[in-house]
Amino acid sequence: MAKLYFYYAAMNAGKSTTLLQADFNYRERGMETALWTAAHDDRAGTGTIGSRIALSAPARTYSPADDMFVATAEELKKRTLDCILVDEAQFLTRDHVRQLCRVSDEFHIPVLCYGLRTDFLGELFEGSAALLALADALIELKTVCECGRKATMNLRVDAEGHAVGAGEQTEIGGNDRYIALCRRHFFERLRESHARQLSLGLPRKP
């Protein structure tokens, strides 16, 4: 029975690298795969999944208006698919996740989704929340905080390295914008940021 998998982690845990390795493993055995990534994440180039260790592969892009079940049905008219791999899965919509559930259940194709669990304020992304609720299997990919403990949170920082405590949920960036931290140091850095704002006479951000 095919399953929907959610591989989640903090920033810089090697999610895209793990996805590309899984894709390679399928193709090495002569199997067909389909790769998807978020349309607005163009760090590796539009329609490309890239990793920090310079691995990359072309991918189809998804945006909120896309129906991934219909797109998969159209693809199956052209070729067999043995696995679907989705990068930046936190940017999926709830509808996307339900569509991927149908792909797994009705087409009997395993769907492997890779993404963040929470944003820079510790709040769930829409896609991550839906995957946590509906995925058949939840697998945590681990990385470490600067203190050596497991990192589970994603801290957004400004150009000077200060924690950012407000803003849009989605802001594309890499090591220059985000730091993976354990929960303790994540909240410590946010409190330090708020204290700094007050000391400068700036209103405390919510």
Side-chain angles (χ1 to χ4, degrees), residues 123-142:
E123 302 292 334
L124 289 170
F125 285 95
E126 178 180 347
S128 304
L131 284 164
L132 289 169
L134 297 174
D136 298 292
L138 304 173
I139 301 98
E140 184 179 22
L141 303 176
K142 297 178 176 63

Side-chain angles (χ1 to χ4, degrees), residues 8-44:
Y8 65 91
M11 294 286 292
N12 302 325
K15 296 180 295 298
S16 296
T17 301
T18 304
L19 181 155
L20 292 169
Q21 180 65 58
D23 175 58
F24 176 81
N25 292 344
Y26 273 95
R27 290 187 292 103
E28 188 179 38
R29 289 161 177 77
M31 298 180 178
E32 293 283 333
T33 61
L35 276 60
W36 289 83
T37 191
H40 62 272
D41 186 354
D42 58 0
R43 286 173 294 170

Side-chain angles (χ1 to χ4, degrees), residues 139-189:
I139 301 98
E140 184 179 22
L141 303 176
K142 297 178 176 63
T143 189
V144 294
C145 175
E146 57 195 21
C147 70
R149 297 173 64 191
K150 182 175 73 172
T152 58
M153 312 299 289
N154 306 296
L155 184 76
R156 184 183 292 172
V157 296
D158 60 20
E160 298 176 342
H162 299 300
V164 175
E168 294 294 324
Q169 184 179 52
T170 300
E171 183 175 317
I172 302 300
N175 294 343
D176 59 326
R177 293 295 288 150
Y178 294 95
I179 302 172
L181 296 173
C182 67
R183 185 182 63 216
R184 173 187 172 185
H185 287 112
F186 171 80
F187 284 115
E188 281 185 1
R189 291 284 296 274

